[in-house]
């Protein structure tokens, strides 16, 4: 979807660099091992005796799901194939081996002879996943929410709304270098709340590139400006449910009517996450201007673009505003945020602003990757594996702070090295079942003083978004690093500081809100 955005050339360069790196590797031993190792480990888990795992009454289907889950972990970490491709393989494996429409010889139709020489019937293999439940993941309401966000972003770019908003929003910050830095942090952060973090970073870097060239070669201010874009894009995504996939993944499980059913709305999320985001952006500004002071005291920005005044563009402006307003007031209007997301889809397609070509530009790989994570969650729940795993781990004996903050730190570390979405896809389903499977007390009572299950899951989304210490951590980081203005040591240093401050403030906020029943 990024080809229509300003700065699309930066995304193209980023994607080209990734392709060239893979092509340079060729079919090397390392590349082969990245694919073979996950398969071997998954097969070991698949064929080991059930008693090897220390889980009482582990069924055949549960063991298969565990093997597929392990396969996903290793594939997402090692990236032998693209992350979205792994999600699709996971879905196919679940359908063909663990669903009620699996291959006949795997379902026990007739007798299935085990290694011990005994035979198993269909109902002795465990609970099968309804194949429709797996396929429904591709049309989950959260997927529709993302599609609505993508459509809004495409329409805003086609009508010039993004450039005009950027110019208007940056104007109040004047020309003083430090204030321009703050402007880029705030504007990038706000855009990334509603647009893809990658598209936002590409657009804002396109506006910033001429400025970076004009700054003194020996000045550190250009480092601050170049770092401001990825930091703001990553942090800004925290502000809304559509800002970044981990947010939506956490909300999907928090609001599941058949699970936790907490009913956290779009506006409710923004009510506590948007102020947190703005505070963190202000802290980032203080940090960047201290670490990388400007040598040139003023900066002149030139951002071209003007409001289009044809009737289609006017409809886009109105629909854009109404959609965001309805999202923020979903608790007042009673219209679910996922339903609101379909408003711009219907309107823009009807008036011809969104064409068939535009639909092809939607980032389907992101949606497929999220759907694969949802399918893993369905498998963990319907086979009972999630409950079995939770009951086998003595969470009740652990201090609540270890359960809550430990999960966030694990997520933070993982997300610095693999996709933020992949990290959330792996951790959130398990942690959600930790809450849903013991809703009658136990672990929930233990976690209540530190905010409960909402702190647990939202904390994972927070940990994902704050992971930005390396160029490989996120596409915005990679694109900013490609400007040549940033050394990796600067990115690591600022990333670690922002991560530590963000996690501390974020968990403090979540614990206070959660323990008082506000989320």
């Amino acid at each position: 979807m990024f080809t229509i955005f300003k700065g699309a050339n930066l995304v193209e360069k980023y994607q080209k660099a990734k392709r060239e790196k893979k092509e340079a590797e060729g079919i090397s031993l390392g590349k082969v091992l990245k694919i073979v190792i996950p398969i071997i480990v998954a097969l070991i888990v698949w064929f080991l005796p059930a008693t090897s795992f220390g889980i009482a009454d582990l069924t055949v289907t549960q063991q298969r799901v565990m093997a597929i889950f392990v396969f996903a972990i290793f594939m997402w970490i090692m990236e032998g194939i693209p992350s979205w491709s792994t999600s699709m393989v996971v879905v196919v494996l679940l359908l063909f081996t663990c669903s009620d429409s699996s291959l006949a010889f795997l379902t026990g139709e007739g007798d299935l002879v085990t290694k011990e020489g005994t035979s198993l019937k269909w109902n002795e293999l465990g609970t099968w996943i309804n194949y429709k439940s797996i396929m429904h993941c591709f049309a989950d309401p959260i997927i529709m929410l993302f599609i609505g966000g993508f459509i809004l972003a495409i329409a805003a770019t086609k009508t010039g709304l993004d450039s005009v908003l950027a110019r208007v929003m940056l104007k109040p910050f004047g020309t003083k270098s430090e204030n321009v830095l703050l402007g880029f942090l705030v504007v990038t952060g706000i855009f990334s709340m509603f647009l893809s973090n990658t598209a936002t970073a590409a657009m804002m870097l396109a506006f910033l590139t001429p400025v970076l060239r004009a700054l003194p070669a020996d000045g550190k201010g250009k480092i601050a400006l170049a770092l401001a874009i990825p930091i703001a894009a990553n942090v800004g995504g925290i502000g809304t449910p559509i800002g970044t996939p981990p947010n939506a993944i956490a909300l999907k499980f928090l609001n599941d009517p058949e699970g936790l059913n907490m009913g956290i709305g779009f506006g409710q999320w923004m009510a506590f996450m948007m102020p947190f985001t703005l505070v963190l952006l202000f802290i980032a500004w203080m940090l960047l201007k201290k670490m990388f002071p400007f040598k040139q005291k003023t900066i002149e920005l030139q951002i071209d673009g003007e409001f289009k005044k044809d009737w289609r563009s006017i409809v886009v402006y109105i629909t854009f505003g109404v959609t965001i307003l309805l999202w923020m007031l979903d608790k007042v209007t009673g219209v679910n945020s996922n339903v609101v997301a379909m408003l711009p889809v219907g309107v823009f397609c009807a008036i011809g602003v969104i064409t068939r070509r535009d639909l092809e530009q939607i980032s389907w790989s992101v949606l497929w990757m999220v759907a694969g994570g949802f399918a893993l969650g369905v498998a963990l729940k319907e086979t009972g594996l999630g409950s079995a795993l939770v009951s086998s781990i003595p969470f009740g004996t652990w201090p609540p702070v270890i359960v809550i903050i430990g999960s966030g730190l694990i997520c933070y570390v993982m997300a610095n090295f693999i996709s933020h979405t992949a990290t959330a896809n792996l951790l959130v389903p398990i942690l959600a079942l930790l809450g849903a499977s013991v809703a009658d007390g136990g672990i929930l009572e233990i976690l209540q003083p530190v905010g409960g299950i909402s702190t647990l899951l939202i904390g994972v989304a927070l940990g994902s978004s704050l992971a930005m210490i390396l160029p490989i951590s996120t596409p915005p980081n990679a694109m900013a690093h490609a400007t040549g203005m940033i050394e990796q040591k600067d990115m690591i240093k600022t990333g670690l500081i922002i991560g530590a401050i963000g996690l501390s403030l974020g968990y403090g906020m979540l614990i206070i809100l959660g323990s008082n029943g506000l989320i």
Side-chain angles (χ1 to χ4, degrees):
M1 67 175 284
F2 305 114
T3 56
I4 67 168
F5 287 97
K6 290 174 180 62
N9 61 310
L10 297 172
V11 183
E12 291 291 340
K13 287 181 181 178
Y14 165 66
Q15 298 292 356
K16 183 180 178 182
K18 286 179 68 177
R19 285 195 301 271
E20 288 176 348
K21 184 180 178 182
K22 288 181 180 179
E23 289 169 3
E25 290 177 357
I27 307 179
S28 63
L29 177 61
K31 190 170 184 179
V32 171
L33 288 176
K34 287 179 180 180
I35 297 174
V36 172
I37 289 174
I39 294 173
I40 291 174
V41 174
L43 288 173
I44 291 172
V45 174
W46 185 292
F47 288 110
L48 274 176
T51 53
S52 305
F53 300 97
I55 300 174
D57 303 319
L58 186 70
T59 66
V60 173
T61 51
Q62 288 175 349
Q63 187 169 344
R64 290 176 186 173
V65 170
M66 190 185 301
I68 294 169
F69 193 86
V70 168
F71 169 80
I73 291 173
F74 277 83
M75 270 296 189
W76 274 330
I77 291 175
M78 302 181 78
E79 290 192 313
I81 59 177
S83 297
W84 64 269
S85 301
T86 297
S87 284
M88 289 302 95
V89 173
V90 164
V91 169
V92 171
L93 288 173
L94 290 173
L95 286 168
F96 278 84
T97 66
C98 303
S99 77
D100 54 10
S101 186
S102 297
L103 294 167
F105 74 92
L106 293 174
T107 62
E109 288 187 2
D111 287 348
L112 181 72
V113 180
T114 68
K115 286 180 288 187
E116 291 79 11
T118 57
S119 62
L120 294 171
K121 300 290 186 181
W122 168 278
N123 60 355
E124 295 175 318
L125 288 166
T127 303
W128 297 90
I129 311 166
N130 187 326
Y131 78 93
K132 293 180 181 178
S133 298
I134 297 175
M135 291 185 168
H136 284 167
C137 293
F138 289 100
D140 188 278
I142 291 295
I143 299 293
M144 298 301 111
L145 182 66
F146 268 108
I147 289 176
F150 289 153
I151 292 294
L152 274 179
I154 292 171
T157 297
K158 291 185 74 172
T159 58
L161 180 60
D162 53 358
S163 295
V164 174
L165 285 177
R167 186 178 68 243
V168 170
M169 293 168 73
L170 282 168
K171 189 175 182 180
F173 294 95
T175 59
K176 187 178 178 182
S177 298
E178 291 182 353
N179 293 345
V180 171
L181 172 65
L182 177 61
F184 268 95
L185 281 163
V186 172
V187 174
T188 303
I190 291 174
F191 269 115
S192 67
M193 293 180 189
F194 300 97
L195 275 67
S196 150
N197 294 352
T198 305
T200 298
M203 177 177 69
M204 297 306 290
L205 280 168
F207 296 150
L208 186 60
T209 301
V211 176
L212 293 175
R213 292 198 199 101
L215 289 174
D218 58 344
K220 291 185 177 181
K222 61 185 180 182
I223 302 175
L225 283 167
L227 278 171
I229 303 301
I231 289 173
N234 293 320
V235 171
I238 299 170
T240 67
I242 63 168
T244 183
N247 294 0
I249 293 168
L251 268 183
K252 185 259 192 313
F253 287 95
L254 284 168
N255 291 342
D256 184 1
E258 297 179 2
L260 297 169
N261 196 27
M262 300 191 69
I264 297 176
F266 197 105
Q268 187 179 356
W269 179 286
M270 287 185 67
F272 56 86
M273 281 304 191
M274 184 176 274
F276 167 76
T277 298
L278 294 175
V279 168
L280 200 54
L281 290 174
F282 181 78
I283 292 172
W285 175 57
M286 299 293 289
L287 177 69
L288 288 174
K289 72 175 186 173
K290 179 73 175 177
M291 292 176 63
F292 310 105
F294 284 90
K295 188 173 182 179
Q296 182 173 309
K297 298 305 178 185
T298 61
I299 295 175
E300 294 290 340
L301 292 175
Q302 292 293 329
I303 299 177
D304 298 325
E306 60 181 19
F307 279 115
K308 294 183 180 179
K309 298 179 181 178
D310 60 281
W311 69 271
R312 285 188 176 88
S313 297
I314 292 171
V315 172
V316 168
Y317 306 149
I318 295 171
T319 306
F320 197 98
V322 170
T323 301
I324 292 175
L325 192 62
L326 287 173
W327 268 335
M328 295 175 68
L329 299 175
D330 55 348
K331 291 290 185 180
V332 176
T333 63
V335 182
N336 186 282
S337 58
N338 305 318
V339 174
V340 172
M342 299 309 294
L343 175 64
V345 177
V347 172
F348 297 162
C349 289
I351 66 174
V353 170
I354 298 297
T355 65
R356 178 175 59 84
R357 285 282 178 214
D358 295 323
L359 293 178
E360 293 170 0
Q361 296 296 321
I362 286 177
S363 205
W364 294 104
S365 60
V366 172
L367 301 179
W368 282 18
M369 186 174 176
V370 171
F374 290 171
L376 276 177
V378 168
L380 289 169
K381 183 177 179 180
E382 292 202 9
T383 62
L385 175 60
S387 299
L389 287 172
V390 168
S391 61
S392 68
I393 301 172
F395 284 110
T397 63
W398 295 0
V401 173
I402 296 297
V403 179
I404 293 281
I405 298 180
S407 61
L409 289 175
I410 291 170
C411 179
Y412 174 76
V413 171
M414 287 178 62
N416 272 301
F417 299 95
I418 68 172
S419 156
H420 292 184
T421 307
T423 303
N425 270 340
L426 288 171
L427 294 180
V428 171
I430 288 287
L431 295 174
L433 285 163
L434 168 63
S437 63
V438 287
D440 56 342
I443 190 68
L444 283 189
E445 292 181 1
I446 293 170
L447 294 181
Q448 200 54 47
V450 287
I453 197 69
S454 57
T455 302
L456 192 67
L457 297 192
I458 297 174
V460 168
L462 200 63
S464 295
S465 294
L466 291 171
M468 55 180 115
I469 67 171
L470 298 169
I472 63 167
S473 297
T474 69
N477 280 26
M479 287 187 289
H481 187 261
T483 62
M485 304 292 176
I486 308 169
E487 292 185 32
Q488 185 164 302
K489 64 180 182 180
D490 295 326
M491 189 170 280
I492 291 173
K493 186 163 53 178
T494 54
L496 285 172
I497 295 172
I498 294 294
I501 294 173
L503 286 170
S504 301
L505 290 178
Y507 271 106
M509 174 191 69
L510 292 174
I511 288 170
I512 292 171
L513 292 172
S515 58
N516 286 284
L518 298 176
I519 55 171

PDB file of all heavy atoms in Angstrom, residues 155-179:
ATOM      1  N   ALA A 155      -6.956   7.293   1.092  1.00  0.00           N
ATOM      2  CA  ALA A 155      -7.789   8.428   0.670  1.00  0.00           C
ATOM      3  C   ALA A 155      -7.160   9.757   1.080  1.00  0.00           C
ATOM      4  O   ALA A 155      -7.202  10.738   0.324  1.00  0.00           O
ATOM      5  CB  ALA A 155      -9.187   8.293   1.256  1.00  0.00           C
ATOM      6  N   ALA A 156      -6.560   9.792   2.275  1.00  0.00           N
ATOM      7  CA  ALA A 156      -5.928  11.034   2.738  1.00  0.00           C
ATOM      8  C   ALA A 156      -4.783  11.438   1.827  1.00  0.00           C
ATOM      9  O   ALA A 156      -4.591  12.623   1.520  1.00  0.00           O
ATOM     10  CB  ALA A 156      -5.421  10.853   4.166  1.00  0.00           C
ATOM     11  N   THR A 157      -4.031  10.452   1.355  1.00  0.00           N
ATOM     12  CA  THR A 157      -2.905  10.744   0.460  1.00  0.00           C
ATOM     13  C   THR A 157      -3.394  11.171  -0.917  1.00  0.00           C
ATOM     14  O   THR A 157      -2.859  12.122  -1.513  1.00  0.00           O
ATOM     15  CB  THR A 157      -1.996   9.502   0.344  1.00  0.00           C
ATOM     16  OG1 THR A 157      -1.447   9.215   1.633  1.00  0.00           O
ATOM     17  CG2 THR A 157      -0.863   9.746  -0.634  1.00  0.00           C
ATOM     18  N   LYS A 158      -4.423  10.498  -1.433  1.00  0.00           N
ATOM     19  CA  LYS A 158      -4.922  10.817  -2.777  1.00  0.00           C
ATOM     20  C   LYS A 158      -5.525  12.217  -2.853  1.00  0.00           C
ATOM     21  O   LYS A 158      -5.506  12.855  -3.906  1.00  0.00           O
ATOM     22  CB  LYS A 158      -5.956   9.776  -3.205  1.00  0.00           C
ATOM     23  CG  LYS A 158      -5.374   8.400  -3.464  1.00  0.00           C
ATOM     24  CD  LYS A 158      -6.409   7.441  -4.004  1.00  0.00           C
ATOM     25  CE  LYS A 158      -6.759   7.726  -5.445  1.00  0.00           C
ATOM     26  NZ  LYS A 158      -7.623   6.680  -6.025  1.00  0.00           N
ATOM     27  N   THR A 159      -6.055  12.701  -1.756  1.00  0.00           N
ATOM     28  CA  THR A 159      -6.675  14.030  -1.755  1.00  0.00           C
ATOM     29  C   THR A 159      -5.727  15.117  -1.245  1.00  0.00           C
ATOM     30  O   THR A 159      -6.114  16.287  -1.152  1.00  0.00           O
ATOM     31  CB  THR A 159      -7.941  14.031  -0.876  1.00  0.00           C
ATOM     32  OG1 THR A 159      -7.593  13.624   0.457  1.00  0.00           O
ATOM     33  CG2 THR A 159      -8.984  13.091  -1.441  1.00  0.00           C
ATOM     34  N   GLY A 160      -4.493  14.749  -0.888  1.00  0.00           N
ATOM     35  CA  GLY A 160      -3.526  15.723  -0.395  1.00  0.00           C
ATOM     36  C   GLY A 160      -3.730  16.104   1.052  1.00  0.00           C
ATOM     37  O   GLY A 160      -3.058  17.004   1.571  1.00  0.00           O
ATOM     38  N   LEU A 161      -4.635  15.404   1.750  1.00  0.00           N
ATOM     39  CA  LEU A 161      -4.943  15.754   3.140  1.00  0.00           C
ATOM     40  C   LEU A 161      -3.727  15.568   4.037  1.00  0.00           C
ATOM     41  O   LEU A 161      -3.505  16.364   4.958  1.00  0.00           O
ATOM     42  CB  LEU A 161      -6.109  14.893   3.632  1.00  0.00           C
ATOM     43  CG  LEU A 161      -6.589  15.107   5.072  1.00  0.00           C
ATOM     44  CD1 LEU A 161      -7.064  16.540   5.277  1.00  0.00           C
ATOM     45  CD2 LEU A 161      -7.706  14.128   5.426  1.00  0.00           C
ATOM     46  N   ASP A 162      -2.920  14.533   3.762  1.00  0.00           N
ATOM     47  CA  ASP A 162      -1.771  14.259   4.629  1.00  0.00           C
ATOM     48  C   ASP A 162      -0.744  15.401   4.581  1.00  0.00           C
ATOM     49  O   ASP A 162      -0.272  15.874   5.622  1.00  0.00           O
ATOM     50  CB  ASP A 162      -1.121  12.921   4.263  1.00  0.00           C
ATOM     51  CG  ASP A 162      -0.761  12.807   2.784  1.00  0.00           C
ATOM     52  OD1 ASP A 162      -1.056  13.752   2.018  1.00  0.00           O
ATOM     53  OD2 ASP A 162      -0.193  11.768   2.396  1.00  0.00           O
ATOM     54  N   SER A 163      -0.416  15.879   3.377  1.00  0.00           N
ATOM     55  CA  SER A 163       0.573  16.959   3.247  1.00  0.00           C
ATOM     56  C   SER A 163       0.079  18.251   3.881  1.00  0.00           C
ATOM     57  O   SER A 163       0.827  18.951   4.570  1.00  0.00           O
ATOM     58  CB  SER A 163       0.898  17.210   1.771  1.00  0.00           C
ATOM     59  OG  SER A 163       1.528  16.090   1.198  1.00  0.00           O
ATOM     60  N   VAL A 164      -1.187  18.555   3.636  1.00  0.00           N
ATOM     61  CA  VAL A 164      -1.751  19.793   4.190  1.00  0.00           C
ATOM     62  C   VAL A 164      -1.767  19.734   5.714  1.00  0.00           C
ATOM     63  O   VAL A 164      -1.388  20.697   6.394  1.00  0.00           O
ATOM     64  CB  VAL A 164      -3.176  20.032   3.648  1.00  0.00           C
ATOM     65  CG1 VAL A 164      -3.807  21.231   4.337  1.00  0.00           C
ATOM     66  CG2 VAL A 164      -3.138  20.260   2.140  1.00  0.00           C
ATOM     67  N   LEU A 165      -2.184  18.601   6.257  1.00  0.00           N
ATOM     68  CA  LEU A 165      -2.197  18.455   7.714  1.00  0.00           C
ATOM     69  C   LEU A 165      -0.795  18.572   8.286  1.00  0.00           C
ATOM     70  O   LEU A 165      -0.590  19.197   9.332  1.00  0.00           O
ATOM     71  CB  LEU A 165      -2.817  17.104   8.101  1.00  0.00           C
ATOM     72  CG  LEU A 165      -4.331  16.983   7.976  1.00  0.00           C
ATOM     73  CD1 LEU A 165      -4.786  15.577   8.318  1.00  0.00           C
ATOM     74  CD2 LEU A 165      -5.042  17.996   8.877  1.00  0.00           C
ATOM     75  N   ALA A 166       0.192  17.948   7.614  1.00  0.00           N
ATOM     76  CA  ALA A 166       1.568  18.028   8.098  1.00  0.00           C
ATOM     77  C   ALA A 166       2.044  19.474   8.136  1.00  0.00           C
ATOM     78  O   ALA A 166       2.657  19.922   9.111  1.00  0.00           O
ATOM     79  CB  ALA A 166       2.485  17.182   7.208  1.00  0.00           C
ATOM     80  N   ARG A 167       1.761  20.222   7.045  1.00  0.00           N
ATOM     81  CA  ARG A 167       2.198  21.618   6.988  1.00  0.00           C
ATOM     82  C   ARG A 167       1.499  22.464   8.049  1.00  0.00           C
ATOM     83  O   ARG A 167       2.134  23.247   8.756  1.00  0.00           O
ATOM     84  CB  ARG A 167       1.935  22.195   5.599  1.00  0.00           C
ATOM     85  CG  ARG A 167       2.518  23.602   5.435  1.00  0.00           C
ATOM     86  CD  ARG A 167       2.318  24.168   4.045  1.00  0.00           C
ATOM     87  NE  ARG A 167       0.906  24.427   3.776  1.00  0.00           N
ATOM     88  CZ  ARG A 167       0.209  23.809   2.820  1.00  0.00           C
ATOM     89  NH1 ARG A 167       0.778  22.898   2.055  1.00  0.00           N
ATOM     90  NH2 ARG A 167      -1.067  24.096   2.627  1.00  0.00           N
ATOM     91  N   VAL A 168       0.195  22.277   8.171  1.00  0.00           N
ATOM     92  CA  VAL A 168      -0.590  23.058   9.136  1.00  0.00           C
ATOM     93  C   VAL A 168      -0.168  22.739  10.568  1.00  0.00           C
ATOM     94  O   VAL A 168      -0.035  23.625  11.416  1.00  0.00           O
ATOM     95  CB  VAL A 168      -2.096  22.792   8.944  1.00  0.00           C
ATOM     96  CG1 VAL A 168      -2.899  23.393  10.085  1.00  0.00           C
ATOM     97  CG2 VAL A 168      -2.568  23.353   7.607  1.00  0.00           C
ATOM     98  N   MET A 169       0.072  21.451  10.835  1.00  0.00           N
ATOM     99  CA  MET A 169       0.426  21.039  12.199  1.00  0.00           C
ATOM    100  C   MET A 169       1.850  21.437  12.581  1.00  0.00           C
ATOM    101  O   MET A 169       2.151  21.680  13.747  1.00  0.00           O
ATOM    102  CB  MET A 169       0.239  19.523  12.340  1.00  0.00           C
ATOM    103  CG  MET A 169      -1.227  19.084  12.252  1.00  0.00           C
ATOM    104  SD  MET A 169      -1.423  17.291  12.068  1.00  0.00           S
ATOM    105  CE  MET A 169      -1.012  16.719  13.702  1.00  0.00           C
ATOM    106  N   LEU A 170       2.744  21.516  11.591  1.00  0.00           N
ATOM    107  CA  LEU A 170       4.128  21.895  11.879  1.00  0.00           C
ATOM    108  C   LEU A 170       4.312  23.408  11.994  1.00  0.00           C
ATOM    109  O   LEU A 170       5.242  23.873  12.654  1.00  0.00           O
ATOM    110  CB  LEU A 170       5.067  21.350  10.801  1.00  0.00           C
ATOM    111  CG  LEU A 170       5.419  19.859  10.898  1.00  0.00           C
ATOM    112  CD1 LEU A 170       6.096  19.389   9.620  1.00  0.00           C
ATOM    113  CD2 LEU A 170       6.320  19.590  12.104  1.00  0.00           C
ATOM    114  N   LYS A 171       3.425  24.161  11.353  1.00  0.00           N
ATOM    115  CA  LYS A 171       3.567  25.615  11.319  1.00  0.00           C
ATOM    116  C   LYS A 171       3.653  26.264  12.700  1.00  0.00           C
ATOM    117  O   LYS A 171       4.487  27.162  12.926  1.00  0.00           O
ATOM    118  CB  LYS A 171       2.418  26.227  10.518  1.00  0.00           C
ATOM    119  CG  LYS A 171       2.600  27.717  10.238  1.00  0.00           C
ATOM    120  CD  LYS A 171       1.493  28.241   9.326  1.00  0.00           C
ATOM    121  CE  LYS A 171       1.701  29.717   9.021  1.00  0.00           C
ATOM    122  NZ  LYS A 171       0.642  30.256   8.129  1.00  0.00           N
ATOM    123  N   PRO A 172       2.825  25.845  13.694  1.00  0.00           N
ATOM    124  CA  PRO A 172       2.885  26.492  15.013  1.00  0.00           C
ATOM    125  C   PRO A 172       4.226  26.337  15.726  1.00  0.00           C
ATOM    126  O   PRO A 172       4.512  27.071  16.672  1.00  0.00           O
ATOM    127  CB  PRO A 172       1.773  25.782  15.800  1.00  0.00           C
ATOM    128  CG  PRO A 172       0.858  25.231  14.774  1.00  0.00           C
ATOM    129  CD  PRO A 172       1.731  24.872  13.624  1.00  0.00           C
ATOM    130  N   PHE A 173       5.057  25.399  15.283  1.00  0.00           N
ATOM    131  CA  PHE A 173       6.328  25.158  15.969  1.00  0.00           C
ATOM    132  C   PHE A 173       7.425  26.116  15.506  1.00  0.00           C
ATOM    133  O   PHE A 173       8.527  26.116  16.064  1.00  0.00           O
ATOM    134  CB  PHE A 173       6.777  23.698  15.763  1.00  0.00           C
ATOM    135  CG  PHE A 173       5.861  22.714  16.426  1.00  0.00           C
ATOM    136  CD1 PHE A 173       4.828  22.110  15.716  1.00  0.00           C
ATOM    137  CD2 PHE A 173       6.003  22.397  17.771  1.00  0.00           C
ATOM    138  CE1 PHE A 173       3.964  21.199  16.320  1.00  0.00           C
ATOM    139  CE2 PHE A 173       5.152  21.493  18.385  1.00  0.00           C
ATOM    140  CZ  PHE A 173       4.130  20.892  17.662  1.00  0.00           C
ATOM    141  N   GLY A 174       7.120  26.946  14.496  1.00  0.00           N
ATOM    142  CA  GLY A 174       8.050  27.983  14.073  1.00  0.00           C
ATOM    143  C   GLY A 174       9.282  27.444  13.376  1.00  0.00           C
ATOM    144  O   GLY A 174       9.271  26.356  12.798  1.00  0.00           O
ATOM    145  N   THR A 175      10.387  28.200  13.453  1.00  0.00           N
ATOM    146  CA  THR A 175      11.619  27.847  12.734  1.00  0.00           C
ATOM    147  C   THR A 175      12.797  27.558  13.665  1.00  0.00           C
ATOM    148  O   THR A 175      13.868  27.181  13.189  1.00  0.00           O
ATOM    149  CB  THR A 175      12.022  28.985  11.776  1.00  0.00           C
ATOM    150  OG1 THR A 175      12.224  30.193  12.530  1.00  0.00           O
ATOM    151  CG2 THR A 175      10.952  29.223  10.727  1.00  0.00           C
ATOM    152  N   LYS A 176      12.638  27.762  14.946  1.00  0.00           N
ATOM    153  CA  LYS A 176      13.721  27.443  15.883  1.00  0.00           C
ATOM    154  C   LYS A 176      13.993  25.945  15.838  1.00  0.00           C
ATOM    155  O   LYS A 176      13.070  25.119  15.920  1.00  0.00           O
ATOM    156  CB  LYS A 176      13.330  27.878  17.298  1.00  0.00           C
ATOM    157  CG  LYS A 176      14.466  27.739  18.296  1.00  0.00           C
ATOM    158  CD  LYS A 176      14.051  28.233  19.682  1.00  0.00           C
ATOM    159  CE  LYS A 176      15.196  28.035  20.678  1.00  0.00           C
ATOM    160  NZ  LYS A 176      14.806  28.451  22.046  1.00  0.00           N
ATOM    161  N   SER A 177      15.245  25.557  15.704  1.00  0.00           N
ATOM    162  CA  SER A 177      15.612  24.156  15.461  1.00  0.00           C
ATOM    163  C   SER A 177      15.019  23.196  16.483  1.00  0.00           C
ATOM    164  O   SER A 177      14.461  22.152  16.135  1.00  0.00           O
ATOM    165  CB  SER A 177      17.142  24.019  15.440  1.00  0.00           C
ATOM    166  OG  SER A 177      17.695  24.768  14.399  1.00  0.00           O
ATOM    167  N   GLU A 178      15.138  23.520  17.757  1.00  0.00           N
ATOM    168  CA  GLU A 178      14.632  22.630  18.807  1.00  0.00           C
ATOM    169  C   GLU A 178      13.117  22.472  18.719  1.00  0.00           C
ATOM    170  O   GLU A 178      12.577  21.383  18.967  1.00  0.00           O
ATOM    171  CB  GLU A 178      15.020  23.168  20.185  1.00  0.00           C
ATOM    172  CG  GLU A 178      16.515  23.092  20.471  1.00  0.00           C
ATOM    173  CD  GLU A 178      16.859  23.592  21.859  1.00  0.00           C
ATOM    174  OE1 GLU A 178      15.944  24.123  22.551  1.00  0.00           O
ATOM    175  OE2 GLU A 178      18.026  23.462  22.272  1.00  0.00           O
ATOM    176  N   ASN A 179      12.439  23.548  18.356  1.00  0.00           N
ATOM    177  CA  ASN A 179      10.986  23.493  18.232  1.00  0.00           C
ATOM    178  C   ASN A 179      10.555  22.706  17.000  1.00  0.00           C
ATOM    179  O   ASN A 179       9.534  22.017  17.008  1.00  0.00           O
ATOM    180  CB  ASN A 179      10.403  24.904  18.190  1.00  0.00           C
ATOM    181  CG  ASN A 179      10.568  25.643  19.507  1.00  0.00           C
ATOM    182  OD1 ASN A 179      10.871  25.025  20.529  1.00  0.00           O
ATOM    183  ND2 ASN A 179      10.407  26.952  19.487  1.00  0.00           N
TER     184      ASN A 179
END
